[in-house]
Amino acid sequence: MRINLTNDVLAIVIDTHGAELQSIENIRTGRRYLWHGDKSFWGRRSPILFPIVGSLWDGNFKMDGTEYALGQHGFARDMEFTLIENVPENEAWFALEANEETMAKYPRIFRLEIGYSLIGERITVMWRVVNTDTREISFQIGAHPAFNYPEFCAADPVHAYIATDGGKILHSQIIADKGCIGDEIMEVQPDAEGLLPVTADTYSRGALIFADDQVHRVSMLSKDKRPYVTLMFSAPLVGLWSPSADAPFMCIEPWWGRADSVGYDGEFSERRYVNHLEAGETFEVSYMMIFDEI
């Protein structure tokens, strides 16, 4: 089932499958900001990453001394959510409850709620993780929205520009073996204007991963440096990614979590960048997308 939220600036569509955004359209200009999911590049649009972000070493994790298999980014993005609240003009909420299928992959009882609020040119994405278990739960959660480059041409030397809060030198963790994080750190140097040009080489080594609260705002600008889309978040990590040099989009991904370190084989609860909830507690976070007319 698909849910529509519309005002006089934006129209958005959310699917109950994965509680995933399907489109973001500017009512006034007809511009579509969100990638449309062409599988020849990447078949998703804006999946929710839960209960892990990224990859597990060897595709497995240990919980309570038992080993479980779980694919990249977890299972929430591939499950049907229930619509629990809908105000067509500006807000919708969806929920996923732990069930027999999730317990076989992740042996904790939880309730995951995803909300979308539309006000003017801004969309706020809201997440609640409720521990309905009798034990502590450990988890990660993240966003993976893909945004079309404005006026994309594969032959252009620069597809867009990226601005971050501060315009400072950043340090990116690097994905190494099996999709996991190695020890190498890459310095990312903005230009004299504090911008990072997005070129065919920007993602040649995979995602740029800025951890440890280096960044809390990322803006994509057009080739002529006009504002296009901005994400604001409190997440400790953000990933920037595009699948290939000729892909007409890139992802801006606030994460409360990260892939395993290379070789990690400890307990799930002791992974880096993992969140903990005692029985009955609720974890609530959000991020905001701001769209400019172009």
PDB file of all heavy atoms in Angstrom, residues 5 16 19 29 41 74 82 86-87 111 118 120 123 126 142-143 156 194 217 223 228 275 288:
ATOM      1  N   LEU A   5       1.515  12.100   0.933  1.00  0.00           N
ATOM      2  CA  LEU A   5       1.468  13.333   1.703  1.00  0.00           C
ATOM      3  C   LEU A   5       1.749  14.475   0.735  1.00  0.00           C
ATOM      4  O   LEU A   5       2.710  14.412  -0.045  1.00  0.00           O
ATOM      5  CB  LEU A   5       2.510  13.341   2.821  1.00  0.00           C
ATOM      6  CG  LEU A   5       2.447  12.226   3.868  1.00  0.00           C
ATOM      7  CD1 LEU A   5       3.577  12.408   4.886  1.00  0.00           C
ATOM      8  CD2 LEU A   5       1.104  12.172   4.555  1.00  0.00           C
ATOM      9  N   THR A  16       4.195   0.990   2.296  1.00  0.00           N
ATOM     10  CA  THR A  16       4.208   0.250   3.556  1.00  0.00           C
ATOM     11  C   THR A  16       5.249  -0.867   3.531  1.00  0.00           C
ATOM     12  O   THR A  16       5.679  -1.333   4.588  1.00  0.00           O
ATOM     13  CB  THR A  16       2.818  -0.347   3.865  1.00  0.00           C
ATOM     14  OG1 THR A  16       2.369  -1.110   2.733  1.00  0.00           O
ATOM     15  CG2 THR A  16       1.806   0.744   4.169  1.00  0.00           C
ATOM     16  N   ALA A  19       8.357   0.643   4.796  1.00  0.00           N
ATOM     17  CA  ALA A  19       8.078   2.043   5.186  1.00  0.00           C
ATOM     18  C   ALA A  19       9.014   2.982   4.423  1.00  0.00           C
ATOM     19  O   ALA A  19       9.537   3.955   4.980  1.00  0.00           O
ATOM     20  CB  ALA A  19       8.203   2.234   6.691  1.00  0.00           C
ATOM     21  N   THR A  29       7.577  22.838  -9.739  1.00  0.00           N
ATOM     22  CA  THR A  29       8.467  22.677 -10.895  1.00  0.00           C
ATOM     23  C   THR A  29       8.391  21.297 -11.535  1.00  0.00           C
ATOM     24  O   THR A  29       8.873  21.113 -12.654  1.00  0.00           O
ATOM     25  CB  THR A  29       9.930  22.921 -10.480  1.00  0.00           C
ATOM     26  OG1 THR A  29      10.341  21.885  -9.572  1.00  0.00           O
ATOM     27  CG2 THR A  29      10.095  24.284  -9.818  1.00  0.00           C
ATOM     28  N   PHE A  41      21.174   0.376 -11.952  1.00  0.00           N
ATOM     29  CA  PHE A  41      22.134   1.050 -11.077  1.00  0.00           C
ATOM     30  C   PHE A  41      21.970   0.593  -9.623  1.00  0.00           C
ATOM     31  O   PHE A  41      22.904   0.101  -9.004  1.00  0.00           O
ATOM     32  CB  PHE A  41      21.970   2.570 -11.152  1.00  0.00           C
ATOM     33  CG  PHE A  41      22.457   3.168 -12.437  1.00  0.00           C
ATOM     34  CD1 PHE A  41      21.559   3.606 -13.396  1.00  0.00           C
ATOM     35  CD2 PHE A  41      23.816   3.289 -12.699  1.00  0.00           C
ATOM     36  CE1 PHE A  41      22.007   4.165 -14.591  1.00  0.00           C
ATOM     37  CE2 PHE A  41      24.281   3.848 -13.882  1.00  0.00           C
ATOM     38  CZ  PHE A  41      23.365   4.281 -14.834  1.00  0.00           C
ATOM     39  N   GLY A  74      20.399  -5.450   7.396  1.00  0.00           N
ATOM     40  CA  GLY A  74      19.304  -5.998   8.172  1.00  0.00           C
ATOM     41  C   GLY A  74      18.060  -6.323   7.360  1.00  0.00           C
ATOM     42  O   GLY A  74      18.098  -6.395   6.136  1.00  0.00           O
ATOM     43  N   THR A  82       2.926  -1.805   9.159  1.00  0.00           N
ATOM     44  CA  THR A  82       1.512  -1.475   9.333  1.00  0.00           C
ATOM     45  C   THR A  82       1.359   0.037   9.432  1.00  0.00           C
ATOM     46  O   THR A  82       2.097   0.689  10.175  1.00  0.00           O
ATOM     47  CB  THR A  82       0.961  -2.130  10.618  1.00  0.00           C
ATOM     48  OG1 THR A  82       1.105  -3.543  10.516  1.00  0.00           O
ATOM     49  CG2 THR A  82      -0.510  -1.779  10.807  1.00  0.00           C
ATOM     50  N   ASN A  86      -2.216   8.403   9.912  1.00  0.00           N
ATOM     51  CA  ASN A  86      -2.083   9.081   8.629  1.00  0.00           C
ATOM     52  C   ASN A  86      -2.915  10.357   8.620  1.00  0.00           C
ATOM     53  O   ASN A  86      -4.129  10.316   8.736  1.00  0.00           O
ATOM     54  CB  ASN A  86      -2.529   8.155   7.490  1.00  0.00           C
ATOM     55  CG  ASN A  86      -2.364   8.776   6.104  1.00  0.00           C
ATOM     56  OD1 ASN A  86      -3.029   8.385   5.172  1.00  0.00           O
ATOM     57  ND2 ASN A  86      -1.455   9.725   5.968  1.00  0.00           N
ATOM     58  N   VAL A  87      -2.219  11.490   8.512  1.00  0.00           N
ATOM     59  CA  VAL A  87      -2.858  12.775   8.262  1.00  0.00           C
ATOM     60  C   VAL A  87      -2.421  13.162   6.848  1.00  0.00           C
ATOM     61  O   VAL A  87      -1.268  13.580   6.651  1.00  0.00           O
ATOM     62  CB  VAL A  87      -2.409  13.837   9.288  1.00  0.00           C
ATOM     63  CG1 VAL A  87      -3.118  15.159   9.017  1.00  0.00           C
ATOM     64  CG2 VAL A  87      -2.675  13.356  10.705  1.00  0.00           C
ATOM     65  N   ARG A 111       9.626  -3.066  18.849  1.00  0.00           N
ATOM     66  CA  ARG A 111       8.658  -2.381  17.977  1.00  0.00           C
ATOM     67  C   ARG A 111       9.413  -1.247  17.305  1.00  0.00           C
ATOM     68  O   ARG A 111      10.009  -0.400  17.996  1.00  0.00           O
ATOM     69  CB  ARG A 111       7.473  -1.852  18.777  1.00  0.00           C
ATOM     70  CG  ARG A 111       6.445  -1.061  17.943  1.00  0.00           C
ATOM     71  CD  ARG A 111       5.302  -0.582  18.831  1.00  0.00           C
ATOM     72  NE  ARG A 111       4.384   0.320  18.148  1.00  0.00           N
ATOM     73  CZ  ARG A 111       3.310  -0.063  17.460  1.00  0.00           C
ATOM     74  NH1 ARG A 111       3.024  -1.360  17.367  1.00  0.00           N
ATOM     75  NH2 ARG A 111       2.517   0.822  16.888  1.00  0.00           N
ATOM     76  N   LEU A 118       5.645  16.263   6.776  1.00  0.00           N
ATOM     77  CA  LEU A 118       5.862  17.159   5.646  1.00  0.00           C
ATOM     78  C   LEU A 118       5.377  18.558   6.017  1.00  0.00           C
ATOM     79  O   LEU A 118       4.182  18.761   6.273  1.00  0.00           O
ATOM     80  CB  LEU A 118       5.101  16.629   4.422  1.00  0.00           C
ATOM     81  CG  LEU A 118       5.095  17.493   3.161  1.00  0.00           C
ATOM     82  CD1 LEU A 118       6.502  17.707   2.633  1.00  0.00           C
ATOM     83  CD2 LEU A 118       4.218  16.845   2.093  1.00  0.00           C
ATOM     84  N   GLY A 120       6.011  22.464   4.486  1.00  0.00           N
ATOM     85  CA  GLY A 120       6.653  23.313   3.488  1.00  0.00           C
ATOM     86  C   GLY A 120       7.608  22.528   2.632  1.00  0.00           C
ATOM     87  O   GLY A 120       7.257  21.496   2.069  1.00  0.00           O
ATOM     88  N   ILE A 123      11.009  17.716   4.925  1.00  0.00           N
ATOM     89  CA  ILE A 123      10.503  16.416   5.342  1.00  0.00           C
ATOM     90  C   ILE A 123      11.321  15.981   6.548  1.00  0.00           C
ATOM     91  O   ILE A 123      12.552  15.956   6.482  1.00  0.00           O
ATOM     92  CB  ILE A 123      10.651  15.364   4.228  1.00  0.00           C
ATOM     93  CG1 ILE A 123       9.889  15.792   2.967  1.00  0.00           C
ATOM     94  CG2 ILE A 123      10.164  13.993   4.702  1.00  0.00           C
ATOM     95  CD1 ILE A 123      10.228  14.946   1.746  1.00  0.00           C
ATOM     96  N   MET A 126      11.280  10.342  11.190  1.00  0.00           N
ATOM     97  CA  MET A 126      11.352  10.089  12.632  1.00  0.00           C
ATOM     98  C   MET A 126      11.373   8.588  12.894  1.00  0.00           C
ATOM     99  O   MET A 126      10.615   7.832  12.281  1.00  0.00           O
ATOM    100  CB  MET A 126      10.135  10.727  13.313  1.00  0.00           C
ATOM    101  CG  MET A 126      10.075  12.237  13.107  1.00  0.00           C
ATOM    102  SD  MET A 126       8.415  12.947  13.421  1.00  0.00           S
ATOM    103  CE  MET A 126       7.520  12.399  11.967  1.00  0.00           C
ATOM    104  N   GLY A 142      19.750   3.190  10.472  1.00  0.00           N
ATOM    105  CA  GLY A 142      20.316   4.175   9.563  1.00  0.00           C
ATOM    106  C   GLY A 142      19.397   4.458   8.386  1.00  0.00           C
ATOM    107  O   GLY A 142      18.444   3.720   8.113  1.00  0.00           O
ATOM    108  N   ALA A 143      19.702   5.540   7.698  1.00  0.00           N
ATOM    109  CA  ALA A 143      18.961   5.968   6.508  1.00  0.00           C
ATOM    110  C   ALA A 143      19.824   5.753   5.272  1.00  0.00           C
ATOM    111  O   ALA A 143      21.051   5.717   5.359  1.00  0.00           O
ATOM    112  CB  ALA A 143      18.575   7.438   6.625  1.00  0.00           C
ATOM    113  N   ASP A 156      30.102  15.082 -17.793  1.00  0.00           N
ATOM    114  CA  ASP A 156      30.545  16.271 -17.072  1.00  0.00           C
ATOM    115  C   ASP A 156      31.641  15.909 -16.064  1.00  0.00           C
ATOM    116  O   ASP A 156      31.545  14.892 -15.381  1.00  0.00           O
ATOM    117  CB  ASP A 156      29.381  16.912 -16.316  1.00  0.00           C
ATOM    118  CG  ASP A 156      28.424  17.637 -17.240  1.00  0.00           C
ATOM    119  OD1 ASP A 156      28.807  17.916 -18.388  1.00  0.00           O
ATOM    120  OD2 ASP A 156      27.290  17.908 -16.809  1.00  0.00           O
ATOM    121  N   GLY A 194      35.250  25.582   0.465  1.00  0.00           N
ATOM    122  CA  GLY A 194      34.729  24.656   1.453  1.00  0.00           C
ATOM    123  C   GLY A 194      33.822  23.588   0.885  1.00  0.00           C
ATOM    124  O   GLY A 194      33.065  22.957   1.622  1.00  0.00           O
ATOM    125  N   ARG A 217      25.487  18.143   9.030  1.00  0.00           N
ATOM    126  CA  ARG A 217      24.707  18.721   7.933  1.00  0.00           C
ATOM    127  C   ARG A 217      25.448  18.453   6.624  1.00  0.00           C
ATOM    128  O   ARG A 217      26.651  18.707   6.524  1.00  0.00           O
ATOM    129  CB  ARG A 217      24.510  20.229   8.096  1.00  0.00           C
ATOM    130  CG  ARG A 217      23.563  20.825   7.037  1.00  0.00           C
ATOM    131  CD  ARG A 217      23.420  22.337   7.162  1.00  0.00           C
ATOM    132  NE  ARG A 217      24.625  23.030   6.721  1.00  0.00           N
ATOM    133  CZ  ARG A 217      25.398  23.768   7.489  1.00  0.00           C
ATOM    134  NH1 ARG A 217      25.127  23.900   8.774  1.00  0.00           N
ATOM    135  NH2 ARG A 217      26.460  24.373   7.011  1.00  0.00           N
ATOM    136  N   LYS A 223      25.771  21.724 -10.237  1.00  0.00           N
ATOM    137  CA  LYS A 223      27.085  21.954 -10.846  1.00  0.00           C
ATOM    138  C   LYS A 223      27.480  23.424 -10.832  1.00  0.00           C
ATOM    139  O   LYS A 223      28.677  23.746 -10.813  1.00  0.00           O
ATOM    140  CB  LYS A 223      27.077  21.419 -12.281  1.00  0.00           C
ATOM    141  CG  LYS A 223      27.063  19.899 -12.355  1.00  0.00           C
ATOM    142  CD  LYS A 223      26.916  19.398 -13.783  1.00  0.00           C
ATOM    143  CE  LYS A 223      25.491  19.560 -14.273  1.00  0.00           C
ATOM    144  NZ  LYS A 223      25.261  18.839 -15.558  1.00  0.00           N
ATOM    145  N   TYR A 228      20.385  22.522  -3.530  1.00  0.00           N
ATOM    146  CA  TYR A 228      19.488  21.520  -4.116  1.00  0.00           C
ATOM    147  C   TYR A 228      18.774  20.734  -3.022  1.00  0.00           C
ATOM    148  O   TYR A 228      17.560  20.759  -2.909  1.00  0.00           O
ATOM    149  CB  TYR A 228      20.311  20.600  -5.023  1.00  0.00           C
ATOM    150  CG  TYR A 228      19.533  19.501  -5.706  1.00  0.00           C
ATOM    151  CD1 TYR A 228      18.475  19.799  -6.556  1.00  0.00           C
ATOM    152  CD2 TYR A 228      19.880  18.174  -5.526  1.00  0.00           C
ATOM    153  CE1 TYR A 228      17.767  18.788  -7.210  1.00  0.00           C
ATOM    154  CE2 TYR A 228      19.186  17.150  -6.171  1.00  0.00           C
ATOM    155  CZ  TYR A 228      18.138  17.468  -7.006  1.00  0.00           C
ATOM    156  OH  TYR A 228      17.446  16.468  -7.644  1.00  0.00           O
ATOM    157  N   ASN A 275      23.703   0.746  19.646  1.00  0.00           N
ATOM    158  CA  ASN A 275      22.824   1.410  20.604  1.00  0.00           C
ATOM    159  C   ASN A 275      22.235   0.370  21.552  1.00  0.00           C
ATOM    160  O   ASN A 275      21.970  -0.771  21.155  1.00  0.00           O
ATOM    161  CB  ASN A 275      21.696   2.133  19.862  1.00  0.00           C
ATOM    162  CG  ASN A 275      22.216   3.034  18.776  1.00  0.00           C
ATOM    163  OD1 ASN A 275      22.784   4.080  19.059  1.00  0.00           O
ATOM    164  ND2 ASN A 275      22.063   2.636  17.520  1.00  0.00           N
ATOM    165  N   MET A 288      16.251  15.561   9.048  1.00  0.00           N
ATOM    166  CA  MET A 288      15.431  16.446   8.219  1.00  0.00           C
ATOM    167  C   MET A 288      16.039  16.593   6.825  1.00  0.00           C
ATOM    168  O   MET A 288      17.255  16.720   6.678  1.00  0.00           O
ATOM    169  CB  MET A 288      15.310  17.827   8.872  1.00  0.00           C
ATOM    170  CG  MET A 288      14.453  18.821   8.084  1.00  0.00           C
ATOM    171  SD  MET A 288      14.363  20.438   8.908  1.00  0.00           S
ATOM    172  CE  MET A 288      13.358  20.004  10.339  1.00  0.00           C
TER     173      MET A 288
END
